[in-house]
Amino acid sequence: MQIDDEPQGRVLDEMDGVFVVTTEDGVAYRLDMDERRVTRTVEVGAGVRAGLDPESDALVAVATCRVGAPMVLLIDRDVPGVLFTRRTSATVLVVEQVSRTTLPSAGTARP
């Protein structure tokens, strides 16, 4: 898999790879399109990020993800009787394709 050096403009559900999507409220979403997982982190100090959720969620679908608009994801939070949850983000500022091991910033972010 080739990693582009320049930021992407969007993520489509059929894409492969790992993307970090940063929104205007400071939340970074790590979308692992190969493993179909999403992890949210937020900056809690200079260069230190913390997870917003106890663990990553299963990614059912990327409904929309493009710079300049809110991102809409369908996720499975493993709630009995609930097929999926719709998660809408703040406006997307940056979409970056990253290597599998890269997380947004170092610090307390969980893998």
Side-chain angles (χ1 to χ4, degrees), residues 40-57:
R40 296 186 307 162
T41 62
V42 66
E43 190 166 352
V44 294
V48 178
R49 299 196 73 83
L52 286 174
D53 304 306
E55 55 188 51
S56 66
D57 292 313

Side-chain angles (χ1 to χ4, degrees), residues 32-104:
D32 187 329
M33 303 302 288
D34 301 320
E35 300 289 328
R36 303 301 292 185
R37 305 293 301 174
V38 59
T39 305
R40 296 186 307 162
T41 62
V42 66
E43 190 166 352
V44 294
V48 178
R49 299 196 73 83
L52 286 174
D53 304 306
E55 55 188 51
S56 66
D57 292 313
L59 179 61
V60 175
V62 176
T64 183
C65 178
R66 63 182 172 84
V67 171
M71 175 173 59
V72 178
L73 304 174
L74 303 182
I75 60 173
D76 180 356
R77 304 222 45 209
D78 201 25
V79 176
V82 178
L83 295 178
F84 62 84
T85 299
R86 176 184 166 167
R87 175 168 285 158
T88 303
S89 75
T91 300
V92 173
L93 297 178
V94 178
V95 176
E96 297 176 284
Q97 188 173 14
V98 298
S99 69
R100 175 156 304 284
T101 57
T102 302
L103 285 173

